[in-house]
Amino acid sequence: MNTSRFLAGTMRAALISAMLAGGSMLASPALAQSESPASESGASSVSESGMIVVTARRREERLVDVPIAVSSFSGEQLERAGAADITEIAQSVPNTTLEASRGTNSTLSAFIRGVGQQDPVSGFEQGVGIYLDDVYLNRPQAAVLDIYDVERVEVLRGPQGTLYGRNTIGGAVKYVTRELPDEFSAKIKATYGSYNQMDGIASISTPIGDMARIGGSVARLSRGGFGRNLSTGQDNYDKDIWAARGTLEIGGKGESYLIRISGDYTKDKSNPRGGHRLMDGYVSGTPVLGDVFDTRGTLNDPKQDIEAYGLAANVTLELGGGFTAKSITAWRKDKSATPIDFDALPAVDVDVPAFYRNEQFSQELQLLYDDGGALKGMVGLYYLDATADTLFDVRLFTSFAGFTAFTEADVDTKTYAVFGDFTYDLTDQFSLSLGGRYTWDERKASILRQYYLGGGSPVFGGAGVAYGAPLTNFNGKADFEKFTPRASLSFQPTPDHNIYASFSQGFKGGGFDPRGVGVNAPAAIPGSPTDAEVADFLSFEPESVDSYEVGYKGSLLDDALYIAVAGFYADYTNVQIPGSVACNVGGIATFCGVVSNAGAAEFWGLEFETNARLAEDLFGMGDELRFTGSLGWINADYVEYITNIGGVPTDVSDFRHVQNTPEWSGSGTLGYTTPVGNGDLYLGTTVSYRSGTTQFEIANPYLDQPGYALWDASIVYNDDSGWSLGLYGRNLTDKEYRTSGYTFVSANAITGVLNTGTNGLPIPSLGTEGTLTAFYGNPRQVYLTATIDF
């Protein structure tokens, strides 16, 4: 895959279209507060009535008309909240977790309604789909998207398999950039704050004649560390990012066609995030550090370096007669080098230097129909060709000096899909929607696992002295097919009220465990597994969710109050349980992947979102007091969880938990806006809450996070002449809270209770010192932002 292929795909898409012609202060789904231009990609526009328009069903609809649980955040709301990246919206969305994954700023861990994935290694699929301008991001690396030039972010909860395809089994997050204006525009935004935060964003666009527009943005995002690496002297939890976007638009603005070609680039040179040890060294007695943002790990090779870039072409052509053709062509590539010091100690105990290299090409064609009558909908085709390569050493404290276990896992994916979704108005009040998607998935994997002496594998600068035969030398292929339907029935007694019931299904692709050890495969001849036995041992099947939802959305009191309520039940089957555990291979203690379709789970939940205008003209003409809030409750339980204990399959579901899924989540924002001088002043404060969360399926009293609340506030002045000034405070109580971590300590195989030694510390299962390492959410930050629009 390369840029020439992308350009060829773009030309092909254009030809096909021509042939067819022949707040954290973030408001919940809400009433619009100001009008904005319509977005071609559909993620954001405002109707003449002032109601928000979204494209959760890949076509423009009023939010109140959509029979899906959707949270929607405009670019204006995100700027008013001072949001830095998409993870910050999670505290305002019920039953949703979005976090930077452990040792980086840019790899995303996402969970919605109990479904997600936090393992970034190739071979494992995401459970929540991330979309940039309707382009699916196939891998979690570089998926923590920084917020600038954004038109809207939408969070769709529940399976979206029909319209968004595989790996949206929990839901989808849509990030849509802003279209270019008709006139010359320039904007400069600068931020300075705690920990020497210094951000700068410059945007400019201009028309080219009457039919085209060109524009671009450059962002520099930097911050000192929240702590220090006491061994290397580096800042810990710092930020050092350069990013850019460019767009060329042809047509649109009243024309029957729009061609939008865009490119983006991100370079992240931040230091690796070192974790905070939660236990004293088991052998050395090295004490726990006093500051949770400090660390001691010395692994710094390879240097942390993340680079991501891509090109996309979105083509829209109105064909007449209610038909519209769309083409979305995209090519993306990213590469990450990262040193992961699991044990966070100066000595080599459990150290993993790693490379991640991903590339993808996708093509989607849509034909939409809406002539203003009773029937509307779309059909489409989708193709994805992606590669995901992961290389890493596992360096352990052993009796062999410089001993390492090297893994190279190259996983290729080809996906083909055909889909459709239609809505028919049975009467003025009842409408029926039916849709379906058929997907063909092809996975190919090449996995090599080899012991090395001499300081590591040659990939990571070691002498490359192979020790014994490869533990895994696997090449295999698997094909999967799945039909994912969707159906909903809506009743709208008036246009501003919608009562709906829906069924949807989603699935996450199967594959091969990239960390599996082939020689450990069960075999007819012990110790000598055949290729078929290795393939069976390393492979895992797709997982699926059947979801049932009932809900109400309504605009009441002359648009002063918006309410959205949803209740859901989900049957989650064939659950993939990826993991890394201590193991013994050829008499040597090492690190192995263990993946199986071990689980089945059931989820019940309720979600509530509101945006209410509490008062207007309260202290003066033109002022407004508004409350926005969200509340989520989910009962997430495994009903089956099979693990192999002493060669006997055992159901341990009573002792397992659904990870990264707090039972309660909620937020409330009180915002007051009043005219001041030549503009308006906004005062806002937000409190958000998440109940206790387990980081993995097995509860861990060291890693798991009890319930906590965060308090944010902002003061923003917008002047009508084009400048604004904002003061923001986040986590004002300076709450310490864990977001993720690593664990390699011994536990009871059934109950998960930690085994402790005579010193009272958990017994290490890998290495000698014990790995219980945590990562934390950001501490208190205060920052000032100035913006000038020209």
Side-chain angles (χ1 to χ4, degrees), residues 380-405:
L381 301 170
Y382 180 76
Y383 170 73
L384 171 71
D385 185 356
T387 63
D389 302 339
T390 301
L391 305 90
F392 60 90
D393 277 0
V394 178
R395 301 172 182 171
L396 303 176
F397 178 87
T398 69
S399 57
F400 296 90
F403 178 82
T404 191

Side-chain angles (χ1 to χ4, degrees), residues 27 29-33 77 80 559-562 610-616 618 623-629 668-673 682-685:
L31 304 177
Q33 298 179 33
Q77 291 168 328
R80 177 172 283 182
D559 289 346
L561 175 65
Y562 176 85
T610 187
N611 189 326
R613 186 175 65 239
L614 301 180
E616 55 185 347
L618 183 63
D623 71 354
E624 179 183 84
L625 182 65
R626 184 174 289 273
F627 174 79
T628 60
T669 297
L670 192 64
Y672 175 72
T673 305
Y682 172 80
L683 308 173
T685 185

Side-chain angles (χ1 to χ4, degrees), residues 365-507:
L365 297 173
Q366 304 173 6
L367 181 63
L368 298 89
Y369 176 74
D370 185 357
D371 68 349
L375 180 67
K376 58 185 73 69
M378 66 176 299
V379 294
L381 301 170
Y382 180 76
Y383 170 73
L384 171 71
D385 185 356
T387 63
D389 302 339
T390 301
L391 305 90
F392 60 90
D393 277 0
V394 178
R395 301 172 182 171
L396 303 176
F397 178 87
T398 69
S399 57
F400 296 90
F403 178 82
T404 191
F406 169 72
T407 297
E408 179 175 359
D410 302 337
V411 179
D412 299 340
T413 301
K414 287 189 178 180
T415 295
Y416 310 83
V418 56
F419 60 93
D421 186 84
F422 288 88
T423 299
Y424 185 75
D425 295 331
L426 302 172
T427 69
D428 289 341
Q429 295 178 320
F430 285 93
S431 61
L432 176 67
S433 295
L434 296 173
R437 187 184 193 102
Y438 202 95
T439 301
W440 295 265
D441 234 3
E442 177 186 279
R443 308 295 299 280
K444 292 182 179 179
S446 175
I447 303 171
L448 173 67
R449 173 83 172 236
Q450 174 69 59
Y451 283 149
Y452 282 98
L453 299 176
S457 69
V459 172
F460 294 98
V465 180
Y467 179 80
L471 308 176
T472 305
N473 191 4
F474 171 76
N475 288 278
K477 172 185 172 183
D479 296 313
F480 308 100
E481 298 180 17
K482 183 69 174 179
F483 176 69
T484 49
R486 180 179 183 87
S488 66
L489 181 66
S490 295
F491 170 61
Q492 294 188 265
T494 73
D496 292 334
H497 301 271
N498 187 359
I499 302 168
Y500 68 90
S502 69
F503 166 79
S504 60
Q505 190 177 82
F507 91 107

Side-chain angles (χ1 to χ4, degrees), residues 472-749:
T472 305
N473 191 4
F474 171 76
N475 288 278
K477 172 185 172 183
D479 296 313
F480 308 100
E481 298 180 17
K482 183 69 174 179
F483 176 69
T484 49
R486 180 179 183 87
S488 66
L489 181 66
S490 295
F491 170 61
Q492 294 188 265
T494 73
D496 292 334
H497 301 271
N498 187 359
I499 302 168
Y500 68 90
S502 69
F503 166 79
S504 60
Q505 190 177 82
F507 91 107
K508 186 166 72 174
F512 302 93
D513 182 357
R515 287 185 293 243
V517 177
V519 296
N520 282 357
I525 303 175
S528 300
T530 64
D531 290 345
E533 289 169 332
V534 171
D536 184 63
F537 178 63
L538 296 180
S539 65
F540 53 90
E541 295 296 312
E543 62 181 27
S544 64
V545 167
D546 292 341
S547 179
Y548 305 83
E549 183 174 320
V550 293
Y552 164 77
K553 298 180 179 183
S555 178
L556 304 98
L557 304 177
D558 196 24
D559 289 346
L561 175 65
Y562 176 85
I563 291 176
V565 182
F568 62 90
Y569 167 77
D571 184 14
Y572 191 17
T573 57
N574 233 21
V575 181
Q576 299 166 4
I577 309 294
S580 301
V581 298
C583 62
N584 191 287
V585 183
I588 298 173
T590 186
F591 173 94
C592 296
V594 177
V595 180
S596 65
N597 297 98
E602 291 182 344
F603 306 143
W604 294 268
L606 294 171
E607 295 168 346
F608 172 81
E609 296 175 283
T610 187
N611 189 326
R613 186 175 65 239
L614 301 180
E616 55 185 347
D617 300 332
L618 183 63
F619 301 112
M621 291 295 294
D623 71 354
E624 179 183 84
L625 182 65
R626 184 174 289 273
F627 174 79
T628 60
S630 67
L631 181 65
W633 170 77
I634 184 170
N635 180 54
D637 287 315
Y638 281 107
V639 296
E640 181 181 75
Y641 194 116
I642 305 299
T643 189
N644 194 304
I645 299 176
V648 179
T650 304
D651 185 355
V652 295
S653 56
D654 288 343
F655 304 98
R656 297 299 183 265
H657 305 267
V658 177
Q659 63 165 283
N660 284 286
T661 304
E663 181 179 5
W664 292 96
S665 57
S667 70
T669 297
L670 192 64
Y672 175 72
T673 305
T674 186
V676 173
N678 195 39
D680 62 80
L681 178 68
Y682 172 80
L683 308 173
T685 185
T686 294
V687 174
S688 60
Y689 174 77
R690 295 169 69 85
S691 62
T693 305
T694 58
Q695 307 295 352
F696 299 98
E697 282 75 19
I698 298 176
N700 186 306
Y702 288 83
L703 280 177
D704 295 340
Q705 174 61 46
Y708 65 96
L710 299 177
W711 177 34
D712 302 336
S714 66
I715 304 172
V716 183
Y717 179 76
N718 287 285
D719 193 86
D720 293 341
S721 62
W723 64 269
S724 67
L725 193 64
L727 178 65
Y728 305 91
R730 306 188 73 84
N731 188 9
L732 289 173
T733 61
D734 205 22
K735 175 67 178 177
E736 289 182 358
Y737 60 100
R738 294 180 290 275
T739 61
S740 55
Y742 299 115
T743 174
F744 288 103
V745 291
S746 174
N748 183 282

Side-chain angles (χ1 to χ4, degrees), residues 87-425:
T87 64
E88 295 187 17
I89 68 176
Q91 69 187 83
S92 298
V93 181
N95 295 323
T96 298
T97 298
L98 302 172
E99 296 169 345
S101 179
R102 294 180 282 216
T104 75
N105 288 320
S106 54
T107 298
L108 183 67
S109 293
F111 290 78
I112 296 178
R113 291 183 177 177
V115 181
Q117 170 63 265
Q118 68 165 322
D119 197 323
V121 178
S122 62
F124 302 136
E125 302 290 338
Q126 301 173 85
V128 174
I130 309 299
Y131 291 80
L132 174 60
D133 286 335
D134 276 337
V135 175
Y136 171 64
L137 305 185
N138 188 58
R139 301 299 303 155
Q141 285 82 23
V144 176
L145 302 173
D146 293 298
I147 290 176
Y148 65 99
D149 282 354
V150 63
E151 178 69 28
R152 192 170 212 84
V153 177
E154 296 179 8
V155 181
L156 286 58
R157 300 189 298 280
Q160 307 297 325
T162 298
L163 290 176
Y164 293 90
R166 59 196 287 278
N167 305 339
T168 57
I169 189 169
V173 178
K174 298 180 64 175
Y175 181 109
V176 178
T177 59
R178 187 172 287 135
E179 280 191 14
L180 302 179
D182 287 327
E183 65 282 344
F184 173 82
S185 174
K187 179 178 180 180
I188 297 175
K189 180 178 179 181
T191 298
Y192 182 78
S194 307
Y195 301 98
N196 203 30
Q197 176 185 354
M198 291 189 291
D199 297 341
I201 301 172
S203 304
I204 189 169
S205 66
T206 185
I208 305 175
D210 295 331
M211 298 301 297
R213 300 158 298 282
I214 190 169
S217 299
V218 176
R220 170 61 174 152
L221 310 172
S222 66
R223 187 192 64 230
F226 299 144
R228 300 282 290 176
N229 185 314
L230 303 184
S231 297
T232 66
Q234 293 178 318
D235 280 0
N236 200 28
Y237 288 79
D238 71 323
K239 195 170 187 178
D240 183 1
I241 294 175
W242 284 94
R245 292 196 184 110
T247 304
L248 172 65
E249 296 178 354
I250 303 172
K253 312 299 180 182
E255 299 295 328
S256 62
Y257 66 93
L258 174 63
I259 300 173
R260 192 169 193 253
I261 299 173
S262 59
D264 64 273
Y265 176 85
T266 299
K267 182 75 167 180
D268 185 350
K269 296 284 288 184
S270 309
N271 296 327
R273 286 190 181 187
H276 173 72
R277 283 186 63 84
L278 301 174
M279 63 177 283
D280 294 345
Y282 189 82
V283 173
S284 67
T286 304
V288 171
L289 293 173
D291 189 332
V292 298
F293 295 106
D294 286 346
T295 191
R296 290 194 187 96
T298 54
L299 182 65
N300 197 32
D301 185 21
K303 295 287 186 183
Q304 179 110 326
D305 191 358
I306 294 97
E307 187 176 36
Y309 42 93
L311 295 169
N314 292 54
V315 181
T316 302
L317 182 61
E318 295 179 7
L319 306 177
F323 288 97
T324 301
K326 288 188 177 182
S327 169
I328 305 166
T329 308
W331 168 82
R332 298 195 63 79
K333 189 172 184 178
D334 66 81
K335 51 188 177 181
S336 301
T338 183
I340 309 171
D341 199 317
F342 281 73
D343 57 276
L345 287 171
V348 175
D349 199 49
V350 184
D351 290 0
V352 179
F355 292 129
Y356 301 94
R357 297 165 181 161
N358 307 304
E359 189 172 3
Q360 68 176 80
F361 172 83
S362 61
Q363 174 65 60
E364 182 169 348
L365 297 173
Q366 304 173 6
L367 181 63
L368 298 89
Y369 176 74
D370 185 357
D371 68 349
L375 180 67
K376 58 185 73 69
M378 66 176 299
V379 294
L381 301 170
Y382 180 76
Y383 170 73
L384 171 71
D385 185 356
T387 63
D389 302 339
T390 301
L391 305 90
F392 60 90
D393 277 0
V394 178
R395 301 172 182 171
L396 303 176
F397 178 87
T398 69
S399 57
F400 296 90
F403 178 82
T404 191
F406 169 72
T407 297
E408 179 175 359
D410 302 337
V411 179
D412 299 340
T413 301
K414 287 189 178 180
T415 295
Y416 310 83
V418 56
F419 60 93
D421 186 84
F422 288 88
T423 299
Y424 185 75
D425 295 331

